[in-house]
Amino acid sequence: MSDKVVLAYSGGLDTSVAIKWLHEKYNLDVIAVTIDVGNEKDFSAIRQKALDVGAVKAVVIDGKELFVKYFIFPSLQANALYEGQYPLATALSRPLMAKLLVDTAVAEGAVAIAHGCTGKGNDQVRFEVGIGALAPDMKIMAPAREWGMTREETIDYAQKNGIPIPITKSSPYSIDECLWGRAIECGVLEDPWTEPPADVFTWTKSPDKAPDKARYVEIGFEKGIPVTLDGKKLDGVTLIQTLNEVAGSHGVGRIDHIENRVVGIKSREIYEAPAAIALIQAHQALEAMNMSRDQLRFKQKVAVECADLIYNGLWFSQLNRDLSAYILSSQRYVTGTVRIKLFKGQSMVVGRKSPWSLYNLGLATYDSGDQFDQSHAEGFIRLWGLPVKTQAQIQLLGDKEGPLSIMGPEED
Ligand code: ARG
């Protein structure tokens, strides 16, 4: 009897070829595991394809609820955006996949876990660091990194081995989808000066073709978690799916990003993430109203740490657990409703309300009803400016050496 390997199977060319290749080269029986994280795919067809190509067993695991609960929502609570732009869709899905692959490998008594990533991307890092953390003794295999075939050679190999290749001219792009967004790479997109052609986008309408009438959506949050859309209670998966459709139909969520990969490459990435963008904006708006300035400043720094850590494949680190505890605590009063306006590619926050709001009309208003005692401002400013005044008298104005440059550094 051959040893078993669990393969993360997407149904695409590389992982299909990997089923054959792992058996041919290492005499391993392949158990194909496909994880549904909200990618719009025909999972029963994928499962059947794995079996047709030669897997001894093929399973599809619905990971959507786990994905939302343990990965997407905590990341939303953190407002995690890699390099300020990318909501981390693919990056968030990998540690969940690592966990489910490890569980399956253990249950099946497999000797190894294999994935279809090449040696140039981030996903290999995320899979392998994740698997390494959860199952330190598990062997990891990366056929597409090892076999050294070009894309044409891979297609040849597939044809020789009767592995079905889509008859339609295969997409020139490399695409990865999950509930939190869609990533598109390769083809003409590799030229950073080229505008992404229309066929790149499938989740979002082109903003210039989006409806002329704006759509308003009210998002209800409880402790930083979105729980209602327009007053209707929805489970997390449905809420995200619905918002992807609604915001996407107004062209919201397109991102064009030159990003820094873990392996040192700069790459041009196109994303569609309508729900992620709308939800992060709305969540930030609620936090802006319900949190103190100091909390907001500190949390922004934590958001950068969280985003880097997720992107860099370090989900199962103790630092992530520490930061998660802080993020969770920070959300205690992030409850309320945010109204957003979706219009021609933009999602704008146009209203917010909350029982925990720190916004005080009596303090903010310039109309009658003003409770802010303006006479206190004078003394406050005197103390506030005291260190600046003291330093300026001694150094800025008192320095007899060299020319005074009060407005800024002189150019040479
Ligand atoms: N650049 C993004 C990331 O590293 C998206 C990667 C998409 N993955 C893929 N296999 N096409 O998270």
Side-chain angles (χ1 to χ4, degrees), residues 254-311:
R254 293 187 174 187
I255 299 156
D256 182 338
H257 183 202
I258 300 280
E259 82 189 21
N260 290 291
R261 286 194 187 164
V262 186
V263 294
I265 301 170
K266 277 193 194 294
S267 69
R268 200 269 188 100
E269 307 278 327
I270 304 297
Y271 299 107
E272 295 182 279
I277 292 301
L279 286 171
I280 291 173
Q281 268 186 10
H283 179 255
Q284 281 174 327
L286 193 55
E287 287 190 336
M289 188 168 74
N290 289 12
M291 284 183 167
S292 71
R293 172 174 54 190
D294 291 345
Q295 278 181 295
L296 289 165
R297 297 291 179 279
F298 186 74
K299 192 162 177 293
Q300 272 176 0
K301 294 181 202 164
V302 176
V304 174
E305 289 298 323
C306 289
D308 280 351
L309 176 156
I310 295 165
Y311 189 87

Side-chain angles (χ1 to χ4, degrees), residues 372-380:
F372 185 90
D373 186 342
Q374 300 196 24
S375 70
H376 290 164
E378 196 187 329
F380 165 73

Side-chain angles (χ1 to χ4, degrees), residues 86 88-91 94 122-123 126 174-176 183-185 259 261 267 269 271 311:
Y86 165 41
L88 294 157
T90 302
R94 297 317 189 221
N122 299 314
D123 289 332
R126 298 169 184 148
S174 162
I175 293 161
D176 187 70
I184 313 111
E185 316 169 293
E259 82 189 21
R261 286 194 187 164
S267 69
E269 307 278 327
Y271 299 107
Y311 189 87

